[in-house]
Amino acid sequence: MTELIPVTIITGFLGSGKTTLLKRILQADHGYRIAVIENEFAAESIDNALLVQDRDEQIVEMNNGCICCSVRGDLIRILGELHAKREAGTLAFDHVIIETTGLAAPGPVAQTFFAEPSVSEFYMLDAILTVIDARHAQQQLTAHKEAQEQVGFADRILLSKTDLVNKEELVALRRRLVAINCRASIQKVSFGNVPLRDILNIRGFNLNAIVELEPDFLGELGHRHGDGVQSFVYHQPQAMDLMQVENFLDAVVQVFGTQLMRYKGILNIAGTPCRAVFQGVHMLMGSELGAAWRDDEVRASKMIFIGRNLPQDMLIRGLDKCVAGVSPGIMEAA
């Protein structure tokens, strides 16, 4: 089986420091051969001239449109062309970085790696990195739903320009970011300077890989809310019925799929020695068997939901009815 090419998406609102971070990555001595796909909303871009191209980077620009809407077909085409050149030996790369425009919502970009067979056959979404301008983030999060969604989809949140705010402002911003997305790690980044081990090849979008590396990944998260985009974690100590869970989540996705941005979970399934892993993006959901439960491990189900105006009470009641031996009933309206 051909090893999938990891893809990192860099997102963040206008002026947050995405290009500075990308430039730092391309300048670093990491040994990766990187293909870069840039997206600018304007018809012309100067970012290409700002990036260092003194090695083997392949930089492709996508102008005059947002990568999450009108030019998504171009993204699929470019990824196909890059792979064809790689197979033909005319271009060597082992990682792809996509820098979105500051006006983009990352969801449709992420969906491309699951919904388009010609992409998912060769590429793996490694992580979504969201760069946050600490000086202007509060205003941007209040005024723009795209800024909220960029936080909601993040696997890593990188805070830039923290020297321009005081301690109290930074604490308040962190609290708001955690309320929107309680699973993404948050760290400071100064002029794009961040340890590359924290942002490249981290398998941040693969929950099974995360849990195997960090068994307590979902362990200490509580119920939190914030802005239009919110996140909460569901805990269930009793074994669950897999068919009931799948049927319930299928129904939820059909009704609330456009509101669900990211949802992931580890399930303790009755009569199954292995944990079940599920994750989804909007209307797309998948599951697989993960590692076996250890003898010294407390078996429990933990699920995280990130989205806009989520029907939290309904989700909790519905999942409670998926406990093995409990009558499932009918999904209630939000």
Side-chain angles (χ1 to χ4, degrees), residues 3-10 25 32 94-98 109-110 113-114 119 122-129 153-156 183 195-210 213 217 262 264 279:
E3 186 173 353
L4 298 178
I5 303 166
V7 178
T8 300
I9 297 173
I10 298 178
I25 294 172
Y32 295 123
D94 45 38
H95 202 107
V96 175
I97 294 179
I98 299 173
V109 186
F113 294 89
F114 300 93
V119 173
F122 305 113
Y123 296 94
M124 171 195 70
L125 182 52
D126 182 58
I128 297 177
L129 312 178
F153 273 97
D155 296 297
R156 297 286 190 274
R183 61 163 290 273
L196 296 183
R197 65 177 179 275
D198 294 341
I199 58 175
L200 295 181
N201 282 326
I202 59 175
R203 303 297 295 274
F205 212 86
N206 185 325
L207 183 64
N208 204 9
I210 294 174
L213 291 172
F217 174 68
R262 297 280 295 273
K264 301 183 174 190
Q279 62 177 322

Side-chain angles (χ1 to χ4, degrees), residues 242-253:
L242 181 58
M243 183 171 294
Q244 290 185 25
V245 172
E246 289 182 341
N247 289 340
F248 174 70
L249 291 178
D250 282 342
V252 168
V253 168

Side-chain angles (χ1 to χ4, degrees), residues 35-162:
V36 177
I37 300 175
E38 281 197 287
N39 178 219
E40 285 296 330
F41 198 77
E44 296 184 14
S45 168
I46 63 170
D47 282 353
N48 204 347
L50 298 176
L51 297 172
V52 176
Q53 298 185 69
D54 56 1
R55 284 199 284 273
D56 297 322
E57 290 87 5
Q58 169 76 12
I59 298 179
V60 179
E61 288 189 24
M62 300 171 61
N63 302 115
N64 201 27
C66 177
I67 200 171
C68 69
C69 46
S70 61
V71 297
R72 182 175 168 187
D74 288 342
L75 173 62
I76 296 171
R77 175 184 56 79
I78 289 172
L79 287 170
E81 291 174 354
L82 287 175
H83 180 263
K85 292 178 180 179
R86 188 174 188 259
E87 289 294 293
T90 59
L91 180 64
F93 65 93
D94 45 38
H95 202 107
V96 175
I97 294 179
I98 299 173
E99 181 191 0
T100 73
T101 171
L103 299 174
V109 186
Q111 280 185 297
T112 303
F113 294 89
F114 300 93
E116 179 56 46
S118 64
V119 173
S120 60
E121 183 178 0
F122 305 113
Y123 296 94
M124 171 195 70
L125 182 52
D126 182 58
I128 297 177
L129 312 178
T130 298
V131 186
I132 298 294
D133 176 351
R135 177 66 180 84
H136 300 101
Q138 293 281 19
Q139 178 184 357
Q140 291 167 349
L141 288 169
T142 299
H144 303 282
K145 70 175 184 178
E146 293 87 355
Q148 296 178 20
E149 294 191 2
Q150 289 164 1
V151 173
F153 273 97
D155 296 297
R156 297 286 190 274
I157 296 174
L158 305 175
L159 286 179
S160 68
K161 308 178 186 179
T162 55

